[in-house]
Amino acid sequence: MPEHHILQSPSASARLAEAEKWLESILNQGEILVLCAHLESADQLVRKLAEHRGAVHGIRRLTLDALAYQLALPVLGEKGISPQSRLAEEAIAARVVQQTLDFGQLGPYESVAHWPGFARALTATFGELRLHEIAANELTAKATPLMVALGQLLQRFEITSLGAGVADRAQVFEAARSVVENRVAPPVGIPTLLLDVSLNSPLEQKLAAALAGKSPRVLATAPTGDEQTRAA
């Protein structure tokens, strides 16, 4: 029977102590996956364990993003798609803005299209929309000039990215979840600790839930009030 637990506490030291206790109970019995917001916190946890127990082995320490990319890269590569840097995504966004401006379809954004940082802000907006699974047609259906223009920009961004063989963070998380759902081999299917990992979007939550669903033992720690992580 899988053992899944979540600990919420306002005290970071209390969360770390519980995580250490949980890890110690299964230490050196096989591989363990530790997902963390920052690798430094996982490294600190493992160092404390080593001080108490001596040799510590078999603990994989990754951020959620690093795990997602590790799982997704082979699948995306088979499709001729590769994740790109934020700078490359901004370049695609800038190209899309210029094309849309040439077509006279920027609407309310036309007056700010040439501002420094517009492509960067647009790229960040696209990233959040896609991580929250908001489709371009949902925006255009709002029928307001601002939403229609944003929906058209998002649609062109997705088409251009696909044509260029570029995957954004949302596509990486989708591919990673698909791998998790169809795989039972490390780092999938082993005891998993989520150490204060913030799950701020549906795609992050779905990947974490898929990992937990394949794991025989899970402990998730989160600050009190982090209801998004708790709900996932």
Side-chain angles (χ1 to χ4, degrees):
M1 183 73 124
E3 298 178 19
H4 294 176
H5 304 283
I6 183 166
L7 170 72
Q8 284 191 299
S9 170
S11 169
S13 59
R15 298 193 302 272
L16 198 62
E18 186 63 26
E20 182 181 355
K21 180 181 175 182
W22 184 85
L23 279 175
E24 195 166 11
S25 70
I26 57 173
L27 198 60
N28 298 335
Q29 296 178 21
E31 287 194 83
I32 304 169
L33 175 63
V34 176
L35 294 175
C36 49
H38 305 285
L39 285 178
E40 292 83 359
S41 57
D43 290 342
Q44 178 186 351
L45 181 60
V46 172
R47 279 196 298 270
K48 288 187 69 176
L49 277 172
E51 289 172 4
H52 299 157
R53 293 286 299 267
V56 173
H57 58 81
I59 300 179
R60 298 195 185 197
R61 290 158 279 174
L62 295 167
T63 63
L64 187 62
D65 273 64
L67 176 66
Y69 278 82
Q70 183 182 109
L71 293 171
L73 276 174
V75 175
L76 293 174
E78 290 175 0
K79 299 177 181 179
I81 301 172
S82 61
Q84 295 296 321
S85 67
R86 175 58 68 91
L87 193 61
E89 291 179 17
E90 288 176 15
I92 291 175
R95 189 191 319 166
V96 165
V97 168
Q98 187 58 53
Q99 290 172 344
T100 309
L101 184 61
D102 292 342
F103 290 135
Q105 296 177 336
L106 265 183
Y109 296 108
E110 187 169 345
S111 62
V112 298
H114 297 295
W115 285 15
F118 180 66
R120 183 180 302 113
L122 202 58
T123 301
T125 300
F126 290 158
E128 288 301 313
L129 288 169
R130 286 175 50 74
L131 283 169
H132 284 80
E133 302 181 293
I134 298 173
N137 59 5
E138 293 181 64
L139 298 173
T140 55
K142 300 291 184 183
T144 65
L146 194 68
M147 290 296 102
V148 169
L150 184 59
Q152 290 173 340
L153 284 166
L154 177 58
Q155 185 178 49
R156 285 199 174 103
F157 177 81
E158 291 174 337
I159 292 171
T160 304
S161 296
L162 182 63
V166 172
D168 65 358
R169 187 165 174 256
Q171 194 169 354
V172 168
F173 270 76
E174 288 174 340
R177 186 184 67 186
S178 176
V179 170
V180 171
E181 290 173 345
N182 294 284
R183 171 179 174 175
V184 184
V188 179
I190 59 178
T192 300
L193 168 65
L194 287 91
L195 184 63
D196 291 359
V197 178
S198 295
L199 305 173
N200 298 316
S201 71
L203 288 184
E204 291 168 325
Q205 293 163 11
K206 288 179 179 180
L207 176 56
L211 283 165
K214 289 294 184 74
S215 174
R217 299 184 69 174
V218 176
L219 174 65
T221 67
T224 300
D226 186 353
E227 295 305 320
Q228 287 180 307
T229 299
R230 181 179 179 84

